[in-house]
Amino acid sequence: MGDLKLPEINYGALSPMLILFGAACLGVLLEAVLPRGRRHGVQLTLALASLVAALAAVILTRNTRVVTIGGAVAIDGPTVFLWGSILLLGVVSMLLIGERAVEAGGAFVSQAAITVGSDKDLKQAGGQPGATEVYPLTIFSIGGMLLFVAANDLLTMFVALEVLSLPLYLLCALARRRRLLSQEAALKYFLLGSYASAFFLFGVALIYGFAGAVDLASIHAAVADPQRNEVLLFGGLALVAIGLLFKGAAAPFHVWTPDVYQGAPTPITALMAACTKVAAFGALLRILYVAFDGVRWDFQPVLGVIAILTMLIGAVLAVTQTDMKRLLAYSSIANAGYLLVGVLALNKEGLSSTMFYLVAYGFSVLAAFGIVSLVRDAEGEATHLSRWAGLGRKSPLYAGVFSFIMLAFAGIPLTSGFTSKFAVFGAAIDGGQTWLVIVGVITSMVLAFPYLRVIVMMWLSEPGESTPTVSIPGFLTSAALVIGVIVTLALGVIPAPLLDLTNDAAQFVR
Amino acid sequence: MVGVTDFPFLSILTLFPLVGAAVVAFIPKTRAQLAKTIALGWSLAVLALSVVMWIVFEAGGDRFQFRESYQWIPTWDARFTFAADGIALVMLLLIAILVPAVILASWNDVDETQRSVPTYFALLLALECTMIGVFAAADVFLFYVFFEVMLVPMYFIIGSYGGARRQYAAVKFFLYSLVGGLFMLAAVIGLWVVGGHTFDWQKLSDVSAAFDTNTARWLFLGFFIAFAVKAPFFPFHTWLPDAGVAAPAPAAALLVGVLDKVGTFGILRYCLPLFPEASRWFAPAALILGVIGIIYAALLAVGQNDLKRLVSYTSIAHFGFIGIGIFAFTTQAGTGSVLYMVNHGLATGLLFLVVGMFVARRGSALVSDFGGAGKLVPVLAGVLFFAGLASLALPGTAPFVSEFLVLIGTFTVHKVYAVIATVGIILAAAYVLWMFQRTTQGTLNPALTEVPAMHKDISLREKIVVAPLVLLLLILGFYPKPVTDVINPAVEATMQDVGTTDPAPTAVANGKVAP
C-alpha cells in the first residue's frame, strides 16, 4: 500500500468559498440558539458581512492563478471575475431579500409545506415574521455558485450544481403571497431541475467512458486525440450541456422559467435571474472553452440553433405576456440567447464579452425586480401589466427608474444593455457567427415592443382606479435600486474599465 | 487663429443644451414661466455659439474643422470624436435657429393642468443636444449612440404632449426608428470588424476601398434602411404622417425640419464615403424610390383633409427630391440636396409652426373646419401663404434655388428621373394652393366666427417666431452664396469619395456613372 497523499490545498485561493460556507453553517447554528426576535438582524448582518468578506478575499487574491485540491478547482481569470460578479450581485440580491419594510414580516413565510388555505397558512401569510433560514440558504446557494464556476472537473461541478440548486428549490416555495403559485413553482423547479441534474450526471458518466477521466484537462487531451468511440463524447457533451442550459434558461429547456419566476418570492426571482445566470454561463463557458474546444466545429452549429431558438422564443413570447414577472422571465430567456451568441464566438472576445454581459444584465434585472417588489396593493405585488397603467403619474420616480431599465433591456445606447449587446454581437461577428447576430438583431426588434409597451402603460396611459401604489422602500431596497441603476448607467456611458477588466480576465487555465 | 479653432466648440455645443435640459427639468411645475424663459435663453445661447462657429469656419479650409477627440472605450477604439464639415455646419446652424423658434412657438401649447411644463421644455433641450451630437459626431459609434438616443426625448414629446392618437403615434415612431436603427447596429458592428476594429470615420473612410464588394453592399443596406426610415423615403414613410399629426405642431416642425434630415445627412456622411461601390450599385434603386416618393406623397398630400398630415406628406415628397439629388452623384445636385435640407427645414418648419398657430386657435387641424379664415386673421393667413409658397419652391424663396439645382444636376445624368420629378412641382402647387384656398379664402365658415381665439390675429410672440424664418427664406432665395460656399467643398469631397466625376457640360451622359 502506498502512502496516502493528501492533495495540496491552497486555502488562500479558496478563501471566498470557505468564508461563505463557514458563514452559512454558522447561520444554521445561530438559527438554533438565538431568540426568534433577534434572528433577522443578526442573520442579515452575518449574510451581508460574509458576502462582503468573500468579495474582499476575491479582491485580495485576484492575481492567484492556480489549480488546487487535486485539480478539482481552478482559480483563473474567469473564475476570479465571475466570483466577484456573483458576490456583488449576491450582495444586491441579499439587500432585496432582507427587506422587511415593504411587507409585514418580509417577503418570506417560515414554513413552505403548510396546506394552502388552512388556518395555519392564513395565519403565517398574515404577517407572521418570515423565516430567517433564508439567509443561510441563500449563502449556501451563492457558495455553490462560486464552486460551480470554478469547478475543474465534472464531478465537482455536479456537486456544486446540487449545492446551488437545492436551497433555491426551497427558497422558491417561501413566497408570502400567492402561496399555491409559490409551491407549484418550487415543485416544478425541483422536478425539472432534478431531471436536468440527472442528465448532467449521465453525461458525466458517458464522458468518463470516453476520456477515462472527469477533469477538464484530461477531457481536452482525449478530445484532441480520441481513443474511444466518439458517440460517447458527443452524447456526453449533449447531456452535460442540457444540464447547464437548463440552469441558464435556454430553449427548449426553458419551460420552467416563467412559472418559477412568477411563483417564487420576487427577491429570489431576482437572485435566480442575476446570480444563477452568471453561474450557469460561467460553467458553460469553462466546459466549452476548456474541455471541448477541440470539437468546436461539431457543437457550434447545434448550440447556434439553440441560441436562435432561445432568442426567438424569448422575444416572441415576451410580446404576448400580461404579467410583469412572466414578461421579465421571457426577457431573461431571450437574454440567455444573447449570452449564447457571445459564448459561441469561441474566442477571447467571446469570453470577455459574455462575462461583461452577465454583469450588465445582472444589475439591470436586479433593479427591475426590485421595482416589481414595490408596486403593490392590498393583495401583495400587483404584477398584471394593466395594473401598471398610469404609474408614471402616481410615482414618477419609480416609473422613471423602471423605464430606464426597460430602455436598457431594449438596448438603447447610454445604457449597459446597449454596450453589452454590442460587445457580444461584435465578438460573434469576429468569430464568424454573423447568422446568430442577424437573428439577435431581429429578435431585439421584436423584444423592444413589450418593453416599450410597459413604458407606454406607465407614462402615456391614464391612471385607473386599480393602479396600485408604490410602497416606500426601506433602506435595503433603495440601496439595491440605486446600485442597479447606477451600474446600468455607468456601464452604458463609461464601459471601458469593466471591458478592460473582462479582457484581462479572459484567460482560462487548463 | 489657431487659438480660436482649438476651442472645443462642438463638444460644448453638444453638451450645453443637455445641461440646460437638466436645469429646466428641476424647476418645479409651479414655476412654468421661469422654465420657459430659461429654456428660451439657453437655446439662444446655443444659437449665439453656433453663429460664432459659422464665422470661425473657413469655407475654403479643411474638409473637417473643429475636430476634437477624447478617449472613450479603448477596447473598441470608440472615441468622443467631433468634427464638422460644411454640411454638418449648416445643419447645426439650422438646429440652432429652429429650436428657439420652436420653444417660443410652444409657449402656451402645454396644458399646465394636465402635464408638466418644465419637463416639456427640458425634453426639447435634450432633443437639441442629441440632434447636435448626431451631426457633430465623427465617430461611427458616437453617431449611432446619438442616433438612437434621439428617439427617447422625441418619443416622450409625442407620447406625453401630443394630440388624440399620441400613444399609437409615439410607439409607431419609436419602433420604426428602432427597427431601422437595429439594422444599422448590425451594419455598424460589421463595419467595425471589416474596418480593422475602429470606429473613427476618417480611418474607416481611408480603408473603405478595400472592403469586400458583397460585404460592403450588405453594410450599405444596413445603414441605408436606417436612414431611409429616418428620412423617410418611400416605402418606409408611414410613421411620419402619424407622428406629424400626433406631435405638438412646434415639435413636429423639429421632427420634419431637423430629425428627418439625419437620414439624408447619414447617407451623405456614412453611406456614400464608406461604401462608394455599393452606393453606385444601389443608386438606381434609390433614385426610383426617390421619384416614386415625390409623386406618391404629393398625390396623397393633395387629398388630405388634415393640415398637419398634409404638411407631413409634402415633407415626404421633398425628401424624394433630396434623395434623387444625392444619388445623382453630381456636385450640382449634391449641393442642391444639402441646400434643400436647410431650406426645407426653414420652409416646412415655418409651415408647421404657422399651421400650429391655426390649430391652436381653432382647436382642430381639419381643413374642413376652416374656410375663409383669412377674413378673421389676415396677417396669419398671409404668413401661411408665404410658407406655402416657399414650400412649393416659388422663385424668390430659398427652396426654389435648391430644387432647381437638384433638378439641373439630376438632368445632366438622369433625364427621365428629372423630368418625372418635375411633375412633383406641379403637384406641389396644387396641394399648397388648394389647401390655402380651402382654409383661408372663400366664404367665411360660420362655425369659425364662434371660436373666440380665431378673432385674434398674429401676436407679437408669434411674429417673433416667424420673422427670422421668413427673412432667411427670402435672403437665401436671392443670395444663397454664403451657404453654398460652405456646402460646396464638402459635397465635392463626398462626390470624390464616391468616385464620380461631373459630366462635362456638353457631353451626353448615358445615365451610368463613371467607374
Side-chain angles (χ1 to χ4, degrees):
Chain A
M1 292 295 268
D3 291 335
L4 185 64
K5 252 188 100 178
L6 286 172
E8 204 166 301
I9 299 178
N10 185 335
Y11 289 101
L14 295 174
S15 55
M17 278 193 288
L18 298 176
I19 292 172
L20 285 193
F21 287 129
C25 293
L26 183 63
V28 174
L29 208 62
L30 288 177
E31 231 10 67
V33 296
L34 276 182
R36 197 175 285 276
R38 299 189 44 201
R39 283 185 205 162
H40 172 67
V42 174
Q43 290 282 24
L44 178 60
T45 315
L46 176 68
L48 281 173
S50 66
L51 287 170
V52 172
L55 191 61
V58 169
I59 293 169
L60 285 175
T61 58
R62 65 185 177 280
N63 293 323
T64 315
R65 299 287 182 271
V66 67
V67 177
T68 184
I69 336 187
V73 172
I75 317 288
D76 51 16
T79 301
V80 172
F81 181 85
L82 292 170
W83 278 6
S85 317
I86 291 172
L87 289 168
L88 273 174
L89 293 168
V91 169
V92 181
S93 312
M94 192 56 82
L95 294 175
L96 292 176
I97 291 171
E99 177 65 81
R100 283 205 164 173
V102 174
E103 171 141 38
F108 303 90
V109 291
S110 47
Q111 282 171 292
I114 299 178
T115 314
V116 173
S118 63
D119 289 346
K120 228 175 153 192
D121 179 60
L122 292 177
K123 204 174 149 207
Q124 80 162 356
Q128 254 182 18
T132 43
E133 290 96 336
V134 293
Y135 303 109
L137 283 173
T138 310
I139 295 296
F140 268 125
S141 181
I142 293 176
M145 292 174 195
L146 296 196
L147 182 59
F148 198 45
V149 297
N152 196 37
D153 71 51
L154 292 175
L155 275 182
T156 311
M157 198 174 265
F158 176 73
V159 172
L161 178 64
E162 293 304 299
V163 174
L164 87 85
S165 300
L166 288 171
L168 281 182
Y169 300 145
L170 178 54
L171 287 170
C172 283
L174 288 172
R176 180 167 291 276
R177 310 284 182 146
R178 298 192 208 150
R179 296 280 315 129
L180 204 56
L181 268 183
S182 179
Q183 291 184 346
E184 182 198 328
L187 192 64
K188 194 162 194 169
Y189 193 25
F190 172 65
L191 284 178
L192 291 176
S194 308
Y195 278 123
S197 299
F199 275 117
F200 185 90
L201 198 58
F202 192 36
V204 174
L206 291 184
I207 289 169
Y208 182 75
F210 171 77
V214 287
D215 68 291
L216 302 185
S218 308
I219 296 170
H220 171 76
V223 166
D225 179 24
Q227 305 287 335
R228 296 194 179 84
N229 192 344
E230 290 202 334
V231 172
L232 290 175
L233 165 66
F234 292 120
L237 175 56
L239 292 174
V240 165
I242 286 175
L244 295 176
L245 291 171
F246 173 86
K247 275 279 169 266
F253 318 107
H254 67 282
V255 284
W256 60 276
T257 318
D259 293 337
V260 174
Y261 275 31
Q262 188 187 14
T266 304
I268 297 304
T269 313
L271 176 77
M272 288 192 288
C275 296
T276 312
K277 211 153 216 130
V278 179
F281 276 91
L284 188 67
L285 280 167
R286 181 174 298 278
I287 285 197
L288 294 183
Y289 280 55
V290 175
F292 294 102
D293 60 333
V295 285
R296 58 166 59 188
W297 305 115
D298 299 294
F299 71 71
Q300 211 167 28
V302 180
L303 282 181
V305 170
I306 286 181
I308 287 177
L309 209 60
T310 309
M311 291 187 280
L312 281 177
I313 286 179
V316 171
L317 292 185
V319 174
T320 65
Q321 297 308 311
T322 54
D323 182 280
M324 189 59 82
K325 283 170 90 175
R326 290 183 83 85
L327 171 65
L328 289 172
Y330 280 104
S331 137
S332 153
I333 294 170
N335 276 293
Y338 300 132
L339 282 161
L340 273 178
V341 172
V343 172
L344 286 175
L346 292 177
N347 50 22
K348 188 167 179 284
E349 285 74 35
L351 176 56
S352 61
S353 65
T354 308
M355 294 196 295
F356 182 86
Y357 199 114
L358 285 166
V359 175
Y361 175 72
F363 280 102
S364 303
V365 85
L366 283 175
F369 280 113
I371 296 280
V372 170
S373 72
L374 294 180
V375 179
R376 42 201 320 138
D377 55 16
E379 307 284 299
E381 286 162 9
T383 53
H384 198 275
L385 269 187
S386 63
R387 307 290 307 279
W388 288 54
L391 194 71
R393 303 283 187 79
K394 286 198 158 182
S395 330
L397 179 63
Y398 296 105
V401 167
F402 201 73
S403 308
F404 177 69
I405 299 294
M406 288 291 115
L407 289 176
F409 283 159
I412 300 294
L414 301 186
T415 65
S416 65
F418 170 69
T419 40
S420 51
K421 263 200 188 110
F422 197 96
V424 291
F425 288 171
I429 289 191
D430 245 357
Q433 302 294 315
T434 312
W435 60 307
L436 294 180
V437 174
I438 289 171
V439 179
V441 165
I442 292 171
T443 53
S444 301
M445 296 170 189
V446 178
L447 207 48
F449 180 72
Y451 299 142
L452 208 58
R453 202 176 46 168
V454 174
I455 298 180
V456 169
M457 275 283 184
M458 290 191 302
W459 293 100
L460 310 186
S461 298
E462 301 300 320
E465 287 290 308
S466 64
T467 303
T469 48
V470 170
S471 302
I472 306 301
F475 170 73
L476 296 175
T477 308
S478 310
L481 287 179
V482 168
I483 294 172
V485 168
I486 286 181
V487 172
T488 304
L489 181 67
L491 292 184
V493 179
I494 35 170
L498 188 67
L499 279 172
D500 290 343
L501 202 61
T502 55
N503 269 337
D504 296 341
Q507 183 64 53
F508 280 117
V509 297
R510 188 170 277 137
Chain B
M1 208 56 201
V2 172
V4 179
T5 45
D6 280 352
F7 186 74
F9 276 108
L10 284 170
S11 50
I12 289 180
L13 193 69
T14 309
L15 289 179
F16 189 63
L18 190 65
V19 177
V23 169
V24 174
F26 280 106
I27 295 175
K29 278 183 195 176
T30 46
R31 311 281 311 271
Q33 198 62 33
L34 180 68
K36 294 174 191 176
T37 316
I38 291 183
L40 182 64
W42 216 281
S43 64
L44 286 174
V46 173
L47 176 60
L49 187 62
S50 53
V51 168
V52 174
M53 285 180 60
W54 175 265
I55 295 165
V56 172
F57 191 86
E58 293 169 68
D62 293 340
R63 176 177 181 185
F64 288 99
Q65 299 181 25
F66 308 114
R67 190 179 171 85
E68 301 169 48
S69 197
Y70 312 101
Q71 180 156 314
W72 185 14
I73 311 173
T75 321
W76 299 334
D77 198 17
R79 299 173 66 85
F80 286 110
T81 307
F82 295 104
D85 60 0
I87 304 172
L89 185 73
V90 292
M91 293 312 298
L92 291 178
L93 208 63
L94 176 68
I95 296 168
I97 292 169
L98 274 182
V99 171
V102 164
I103 288 178
L104 200 56
S106 326
W107 211 250
N108 301 321
D109 274 8
V110 181
D111 182 359
E112 285 180 43
T113 57
Q114 289 289 318
R115 297 280 174 178
S116 156
V117 177
T119 310
Y120 176 80
F121 289 94
L123 284 171
L124 278 180
L125 285 176
L127 184 65
E128 183 173 28
C129 158
T130 56
M131 291 189 301
I132 291 174
V134 96
F135 288 106
D139 179 285
V140 181
F141 189 84
L142 188 63
F143 171 80
Y144 181 80
V145 166
F146 280 118
F147 185 85
E148 288 280 89
V149 172
M150 200 165 61
L151 295 178
V152 179
M154 198 65 206
Y155 169 76
F156 282 107
I157 289 175
I158 298 176
S160 295
Y161 300 91
R165 298 233 295 161
R166 58 176 195 267
Q167 288 193 19
Y168 168 79
V171 172
K172 191 168 178 180
F173 161 75
F174 199 95
L175 282 183
Y176 262 69
S177 302
L178 192 68
V179 166
L182 284 169
F183 276 114
M184 187 162 113
L185 175 63
V188 166
I189 299 173
L191 178 65
W192 177 72
V193 171
V194 299
H197 293 197
T198 182
F199 284 114
D200 188 81
W201 186 90
Q202 197 61 53
K203 287 184 204 161
L204 286 169
S205 111
D206 290 343
V207 297
S208 62
F211 293 164
D212 171 63
T213 310
N214 264 324
T215 314
R217 284 179 187 172
W218 281 110
L219 296 179
F220 173 93
L221 202 61
F223 278 92
F224 183 77
I225 290 177
F227 296 143
V229 170
K230 199 87 188 175
F233 290 137
F234 175 86
F236 306 104
H237 64 278
T238 62
W239 63 270
L240 181 63
D242 289 320
V245 170
L254 270 189
L255 181 69
V256 296
V258 180
L259 246 70
D260 295 355
K261 304 297 188 320
V262 175
T264 47
F265 172 80
I267 292 175
L268 278 167
R269 171 67 73 77
Y270 296 94
C271 285
L272 266 48
L274 296 183
F275 316 108
E277 191 279 338
S279 303
R280 294 195 298 270
W281 195 75
F282 277 103
L287 285 167
I288 290 172
L289 288 185
V291 172
I292 294 178
I294 293 173
I295 305 295
Y296 174 76
L299 283 172
L300 283 179
V302 174
Q304 293 308 315
N305 188 34
D306 184 308
L307 283 171
K308 285 157 100 179
R309 192 172 278 272
L310 188 148
V311 180
S312 303
Y313 277 114
T314 70
S315 182
I316 297 169
H318 291 151
F319 275 103
F321 276 105
I322 300 175
I324 62 169
I326 291 173
F327 281 98
F329 298 137
T330 62
T331 310
Q332 239 172 359
T335 307
S337 280
V338 179
L339 195 58
Y340 211 139
M341 283 158 65
V342 179
N343 294 337
H344 173 266
L346 296 172
T348 310
L350 177 65
L351 193 55
F352 245 126
L353 291 174
V354 179
V355 163
M357 294 170 190
F358 272 96
V359 175
R361 284 172 168 70
R362 181 68 179 90
S364 156
L366 296 183
V367 172
S368 49
D369 281 347
F370 290 90
K375 295 192 173 62
L376 296 175
V377 285
V379 182
L380 195 57
V383 180
L384 179 69
F385 190 54
F386 177 82
L389 291 182
S391 125
L392 70 79
L394 190 80
T397 60
F400 169 73
V401 183
S402 41
E403 198 158 296
F404 192 68
L405 275 173
V406 167
L407 287 174
I408 285 192
T410 312
F411 189 80
T412 52
V413 284
H414 301 292
K415 288 204 169 44
V416 179
Y417 296 138
V419 170
I420 302 175
T422 315
V423 179
I425 302 180
I426 301 165
L427 289 171
Y431 59 67
V432 166
L433 294 177
W434 202 36
M435 177 272 287
F436 180 72
Q437 191 214 336
R438 285 186 297 162
T439 48
T440 62
Q441 304 299 300
T443 48
L444 183 61
N445 182 349
L448 215 53
T449 53
E450 287 160 21
V451 182
M454 281 305 294
H455 292 280
K456 288 185 206 122
D457 205 348
I458 191 163
S459 68
L460 178 64
R461 173 178 64 84
E462 290 167 332
K463 278 181 193 160
I464 299 173
V465 170
V466 297
L469 300 178
V470 170
L471 268 179
L472 275 171
L473 281 167
L474 282 174
I475 294 171
L476 293 179
F478 285 100
Y479 190 64
K481 192 168 179 302
V483 179
T484 50
D485 278 354
V486 171
I487 295 171
N488 234 325
V491 172
E492 273 171 16
T494 307
M495 293 304 147
Q496 259 170 26
D497 287 336
V498 189
T500 57
T501 43
D502 290 337
T506 50
V508 178
N510 61 358
K512 289 265 191 316
V513 284

